[in-house]
Amino acid sequence: DHFRNKIVQVTDERVKIMSEVIKSMRVIKMYCWESFIGQKVHQIRKWVRSRIENVHLSASELFSREIIQYGCYCTKAIPV
């Protein structure tokens, strides 16, 4: 749930920025800023991708830790 909230926050920020770009498309076209805005959009997408990857890595590390702890618990419970 915590990780999903982080992903939702990042996605909301991306959607907000992209909607601002779409709303101001006439101004962007009028001043020929397409390439500049395109680069900014690419940077935003790259940033969002890295944030989501970080959240997924954190979640997988937490899950791996729990599995290792459970495995250690199970092996201690089994007499040798």
Side-chain angles (χ1 to χ4, degrees), residues 73-80:
Y73 171 77
C74 289
T75 55
K76 285 183 181 179
I78 299 172
V80 179

Side-chain angles (χ1 to χ4, degrees), residues 22-75:
I22 290 170
K23 287 177 187 175
S24 58
M25 192 56 71
R26 283 188 182 158
V27 174
I28 292 169
K29 291 256 185 213
M30 185 170 68
Y31 290 107
C32 299
W33 291 340
E34 292 97 337
S35 62
F36 175 76
I37 297 298
Q39 291 172 356
K40 291 294 180 188
V41 168
H42 179 70
Q43 290 173 351
I44 292 166
R45 287 179 178 165
K46 193 174 176 181
W47 176 78
V48 167
R49 190 177 330 118
S50 69
R51 294 285 304 249
I52 290 175
E53 287 172 355
N54 287 340
V55 170
H56 285 302
L57 286 175
S58 298
S60 66
E61 288 171 1
L62 179 66
F63 184 67
S64 297
R65 227 178 294 137
E66 289 176 357
I67 288 180
I68 290 170
Q69 288 174 350
Y70 180 72
C72 290
Y73 171 77
C74 289
T75 55

